[in-house]
């Protein structure tokens, strides 16, 4: 029947993603899917879903299951991760030399090719039947974009595009909010605020234009900021296992702690502001389990 996903493909997805045997999120994913389907039928037009959550919160896992569930509803669904839009290392090195040294590190607004993302979304929605749209892939183990031959090809037009990423839907901060460093990295390496001002300006410019296209926003809410390091550390362990422990992008705990500080300002800002702006808030426990699903208050 249309809308029913056979258990075997979902079981394979659980296995492929190395999820625990007691994986319990699927009923919650079905509820999110139902809302996306409802919105898609109301709009009777392609729908851009923004999926936001802190590092390690489970965005890519959720996106994969949503795609399977939506495809079963005869709503062809593509996934575009903002992580796959990172500028290549040489481009970030150039930014580090001309703007601020901290821009060498990937992740914050200002280190993505937003024009590429806009183009890919547009092409996914307007593709002719049978036409292939290349979807970029970034190799975190090498810290550079994967060769185009390794990119996914989405065939035909997408009815739904899931744009997922840690800062999806983030808004710029005020000058007063930017004034004080939030951690040791900002205090020691951005004492004059140039880096955070550049990042904030990017949010107020091309990122705002991209996020304005979102039709339905979903926020994966961590219970407290302190969960982020442990969740991201688990991601690093999985990446290390996949690559055999080698690769330029792999980090030990000290490097990871420094890396996370690049994201802290906006992550904390999202935890404060997104619950009042997202259409759906998926609450998580410290153990990564989903504990609730709510609509944002009007």
């Amino acid at each position: 029947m249309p809308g029913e996903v056979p258990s075997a493909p979902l079981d394979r997805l659980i296995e492929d993603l190395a999820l625990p045997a007691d994986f319990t999120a699927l009923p919650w994913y079905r509820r999110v899917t139902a809302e996306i389907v409802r919105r898609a039928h109301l709009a009777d037009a392609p729908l851009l879903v923004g999926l936001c959550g802190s590092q390690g919160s489970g965005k890519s896992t959720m996106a994969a299951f949503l795609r399977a569930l939506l495809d079963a509803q005869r709503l062809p669904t593509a996934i575009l991760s903002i992580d796959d839009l990172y500028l290549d290392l040489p481009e970030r090195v150039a930014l580090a030399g001309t703007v601020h040294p901290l821009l060498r590190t990937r992740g914050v607004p200002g280190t993505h090719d937003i024009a590429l993302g806009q183009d890919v979304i547009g092409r996914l929605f307007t593709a002719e039947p049978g036409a292939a749209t290349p979807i970029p892939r970034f190799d975190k183990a090498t810290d550079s974009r994967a060769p185009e031959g390794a990119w996914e090809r989405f065939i035909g037009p997408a009815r739904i595009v899931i744009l997922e990423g840690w800062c999806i839907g983030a808004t710029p901060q005020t000058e007063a909010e930017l004034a004080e460093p939030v951690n040791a990295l900002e205090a020691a390496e951005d004492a004059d605020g140039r880096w955070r001002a550049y990042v904030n300006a990017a949010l107020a410019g091309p990122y705002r234009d991209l996020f304005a296209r979102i039709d339905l926003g979903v926020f994966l809410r961590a219970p407290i900021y302190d969960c982020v390091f442990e969740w991201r550390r688990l991601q690093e362990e999985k990446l290390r296992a996949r690559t055999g422990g080698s690769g330029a992008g792999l980090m030990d705990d000290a490097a990871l702690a420094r890396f996370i500080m690049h994201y802290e300002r906006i992550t904390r800002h999202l935890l404060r502001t997104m619950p009042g702006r997202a259409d759906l808030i998926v609450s998580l426990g410290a153990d990564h389990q989903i504990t609730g699903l709510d609509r944002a208050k009007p």
Side-chain angles (χ1 to χ4, degrees):
M1 288 177 59
E4 293 295 324
V5 185
S7 61
L10 296 177
D11 290 342
R12 282 197 299 272
L13 196 50
I14 290 172
E15 183 179 351
D16 291 346
L17 295 173
L19 297 170
D22 61 349
F23 181 68
T24 60
L26 191 53
W28 299 101
Y29 294 167
R30 291 187 187 278
R31 290 178 60 185
V32 175
T33 300
E35 180 61 16
I36 295 172
V37 171
R38 187 184 76 83
R39 293 290 190 98
H41 290 325
L42 281 175
D44 194 25
L47 203 71
L48 181 62
V49 176
L51 178 55
C52 174
S54 64
Q55 290 185 310
S57 61
K59 299 179 297 298
S60 59
T61 297
M62 186 180 201
F65 279 93
L66 292 180
R67 175 167 58 185
L69 293 165
L70 288 164
D71 282 345
Q73 295 279 354
R74 296 181 178 173
L75 294 170
T77 299
I79 299 171
L80 176 62
S81 171
I82 201 165
D83 285 4
D84 287 321
L85 300 177
Y86 286 137
L87 298 173
D88 278 330
L89 180 58
E91 296 173 284
R92 301 192 324 263
V93 169
L95 275 177
T98 58
V99 181
H100 194 285
L102 286 176
L103 291 169
R104 187 184 192 279
T105 300
R106 68 177 190 261
V108 297
T111 63
H112 302 90
D113 188 340
I114 294 300
L116 174 61
Q118 292 273 32
D119 179 65
V120 170
I121 292 168
R123 292 174 65 186
L124 285 167
F125 282 146
T126 61
E128 294 294 328
T133 301
I135 300 178
R137 289 290 178 262
F138 191 90
D139 185 352
K140 292 181 179 179
T142 62
D143 206 11
S144 292
R145 192 168 297 154
E148 190 165 342
W151 295 10
E152 177 188 348
R153 261 61 178 172
F154 189 90
I155 305 303
R159 187 69 166 77
I160 310 289
V161 172
I162 299 172
L163 175 64
E164 65 97 349
W166 76 279
C167 64
I168 298 299
T171 55
Q173 293 184 289
T174 65
E175 287 189 19
E177 289 172 317
L178 290 175
E180 293 298 321
V182 298
N183 56 34
L185 178 80
E186 289 190 0
E189 301 182 44
D190 187 42
D192 62 1
R194 282 188 300 117
W195 173 69
R196 50 191 185 267
Y198 182 87
V199 171
N200 204 56
L203 274 179
Y207 289 74
R208 173 179 280 172
D209 295 339
L210 174 61
F211 300 158
R213 299 180 66 173
I214 293 171
D215 301 295
L216 176 71
V218 182
F219 180 54
L220 287 167
R221 177 170 58 184
I224 56 173
Y225 176 79
D226 290 347
C227 291
V228 176
F229 176 80
E230 289 303 322
W231 290 355
R232 183 59 180 80
R233 187 172 180 269
L234 179 61
Q235 280 189 327
E236 201 68 19
E237 289 174 357
K238 289 181 178 181
L239 179 60
R240 186 173 288 107
R242 286 201 307 270
T243 61
S246 62
L250 294 172
M251 293 176 278
D252 60 20
D253 283 358
L256 182 59
R258 172 183 162 78
F259 183 60
I260 291 292
M261 283 193 279
H262 292 75
Y263 294 74
E264 182 173 351
R265 170 175 293 277
I266 294 174
T267 299
R268 289 186 181 277
H269 182 60
L270 285 164
L271 287 171
R272 289 192 302 270
T273 62
M274 191 61 83
R277 296 191 297 107
D279 296 283
L280 296 174
I281 301 100
V282 181
S283 296
L284 304 173
D287 60 357
H288 245 152
Q289 298 296 311
I290 297 175
T291 60
L293 176 64
D294 300 289
R295 295 177 186 272
K297 301 297 186 294

